[in-house]
Amino acid sequence: MPLALLALTIGAFGIGTTEFVIMGLLPGIAADYGVSIPTAGLLVTGYALGVVVGAPLLTVLGNKVSRKRMLMLLMGLFVVGNLLSALAPSFGVMLTGRVVASLAHGSFFGIGSVVAAGLVAPDKKAGAIATMFTGLTVANIVGVPLGTLIGQAIGWRTTFAIVAALGVVGLLGIARLVPAMPRPEGTRLRGELKAFRNPQVLLAMAMTVLGFGGVFAAITYIAPMTTEIAGYSEGAVTWLLVLFGTGMFLGNLLGGRFADRALMPLLYTTLGGLAVVLALFTVTAHDKVLAALSVLLVGALGFATVPPLQKRVLDQAHGAPTLASAVNIGAFNLGNALAAWLGGIVIAAGFGYTAPNWVGALLAAAALGLALWSAALERRAPAGKAEAVEAGARVPVHH
């Protein structure tokens, strides 16, 4: 494995920790600020929306900056946001800190995906992307449970201070290990925007929004769901998050291994399976063993979609991948924001803590429908037209 991939993995570990650790800390943060659980869920929605905005914005602003320098700047922004969250005197300031930290997320993974794919042979791209995302999944096995444990034992502010320190480690790793990789000559913003003319790019992003949104509909409210419905203790949430992270890790390996071989069949399987598991979770949430198994499967099936969806966007946006890659990371988090918001709505409406699972199941089923539609359109497209579109995407724009 190239050392540059290790550096990207370190950065992904820090970002993954801050993104997901909020799930286990949600009840404590809500109690400290005197807000309801659905209101505290805005910390998830706000972070996700920050990724959606920050992904294209910072990628465009960094258009003239080398990829290594941009990755370092993004990690610096990440550190500032987490320090602000750790010191926040009010819920509003806490939400602001989450948004600031989130602005770096989309561009980091978007640019990082391009860098990772460029470090290996063409038939290894999905595997390289999956390697970088391993940091995100390992964060859910180690960083998130440990951060939850520390937050419950000492205080959630300590957790976010530690996350900020992780960001510093990631910044130093990038500075030392990632080689200088300037943007390719001839690639400009106008050329990057051309990728969005391809309907397949837009369909892949829509699949991303709906598919991974299904995961967050359930996982955002895992703490109240498993304590109030399944009967777990607050401390057990830490180990349930370990299960979720383990599922993500296994799903990431699965997605990285098979996306280079059978991308669309993999998406059909994982999105269909995710819809079924989430629907069943409304029932299995009432049993401790079945609830734990459901958490594991949601993580595995949900994250198995990440490498193939990211690779599909890179393939369809060939020749101008940076902005499209970053926007697709934003699409993951747009799904997160949508799902967390919808989950909060059904809980606030009195449907109970298992109701977000139905929301997630419907979102995953819709993503499966889009995947089938995308494949049908691809089969129907005239070969000449498809080749022309691909060739056009490869033409660099010169000024």
Side-chain angles (χ1 to χ4, degrees):
M1 179 180 72
L3 287 179
L5 282 180
L6 175 61
L8 294 173
T9 303
I10 293 170
F13 179 86
I15 292 175
T17 300
T18 203
E19 180 181 18
F20 291 101
V21 77
I22 194 74
M23 313 306 180
L25 302 177
L26 213 59
I29 293 173
D32 283 355
Y33 286 124
V35 299
S36 67
I37 290 292
T39 298
L42 292 175
L43 295 174
V44 177
T45 301
Y47 185 96
L49 290 177
V51 177
V52 174
V53 174
L57 178 62
L58 292 180
T59 301
V60 169
L61 291 177
N63 197 48
K64 301 288 187 180
V65 181
S66 73
R67 286 168 178 163
K68 175 177 180 175
R69 180 172 296 180
M70 193 62 193
L71 289 172
M72 292 172 63
L73 291 173
L74 292 170
M75 287 308 298
L77 186 63
F78 171 82
V79 171
V80 171
N82 280 285
L83 284 177
L84 186 59
S85 293
L87 301 173
S90 66
F91 182 78
V93 176
M94 172 68 173
L95 181 58
T96 301
R98 291 285 292 168
V99 171
V100 170
S102 72
L103 292 174
H105 184 127
S107 290
F108 181 87
F109 281 108
I111 295 171
S113 292
V114 175
V115 171
L119 292 169
V120 297
D123 62 340
K124 302 291 184 182
K125 286 185 178 182
I129 294 170
T131 298
M132 181 189 68
F133 276 96
T134 297
L136 190 67
T137 59
V138 171
N140 280 272
I141 299 174
V142 179
V144 172
L146 185 59
T148 302
L149 190 63
I150 291 172
Q152 292 174 347
I154 303 175
W156 56 265
R157 294 182 187 277
T158 303
T159 297
F160 283 101
I162 292 172
V163 169
L166 282 174
V168 173
V169 173
L171 174 60
L172 295 175
I174 292 167
R176 182 167 182 83
L177 299 176
V178 173
M181 298 181 70
R183 300 185 86 258
E185 289 297 325
T187 302
R188 298 292 184 266
L189 178 59
R190 189 185 302 172
E192 296 280 352
L193 290 173
K194 279 188 175 182
F196 297 93
R197 296 180 185 178
N198 185 348
Q200 291 292 355
V201 171
L202 300 180
L203 278 172
M205 290 179 178
M207 283 184 262
T208 297
V209 171
L210 298 173
F212 208 68
V215 175
F216 257 66
I219 297 303
T220 296
Y221 302 99
I222 185 176
M225 189 191 307
T226 54
T227 55
E228 298 294 330
I229 304 300
Y232 280 104
S233 66
E234 185 182 78
V237 174
T238 298
W239 305 111
L240 290 170
L241 289 173
V242 170
L243 271 180
F244 177 66
T246 301
M248 291 177 68
F249 179 78
L250 295 174
N252 185 58
L253 291 179
L254 174 71
R257 180 175 181 180
F258 291 102
D260 284 314
R261 304 179 189 178
L263 192 149
M264 294 307 292
L266 175 63
L267 284 177
Y268 304 151
T269 302
T270 54
L271 289 173
L274 180 61
V276 171
V277 169
L278 285 169
L280 291 175
F281 199 6
T282 59
V283 177
T284 58
H286 294 270
D287 180 86
K288 286 186 176 181
V289 174
L290 294 178
L293 178 61
S294 298
V295 169
L296 176 69
L297 290 175
V298 167
L301 292 167
F303 220 81
T305 67
V306 175
L309 284 171
Q310 192 70 359
K311 181 178 184 291
R312 185 158 178 84
V313 168
L314 288 175
D315 288 345
Q316 298 295 331
H318 183 69
T322 307
L323 183 59
S325 176
V327 171
N328 196 52
I329 297 297
F332 279 107
N333 285 271
L334 178 58
N336 298 352
L338 174 67
W341 175 65
L342 291 175
I345 285 179
V346 294
I347 290 174
F351 290 102
Y353 286 125
T354 62
N357 296 330
W358 279 117
V359 174
L362 291 173
L363 291 174
L368 174 59
L370 287 181
L372 293 169
W373 184 27
S374 174
L377 290 177
E378 200 166 40
R379 286 193 299 268
R380 276 186 245 155
K385 182 177 179 181
E387 290 170 4
V389 170
E390 184 178 355
R394 286 197 296 264
V395 176
V397 177
H398 300 277
H399 294 279

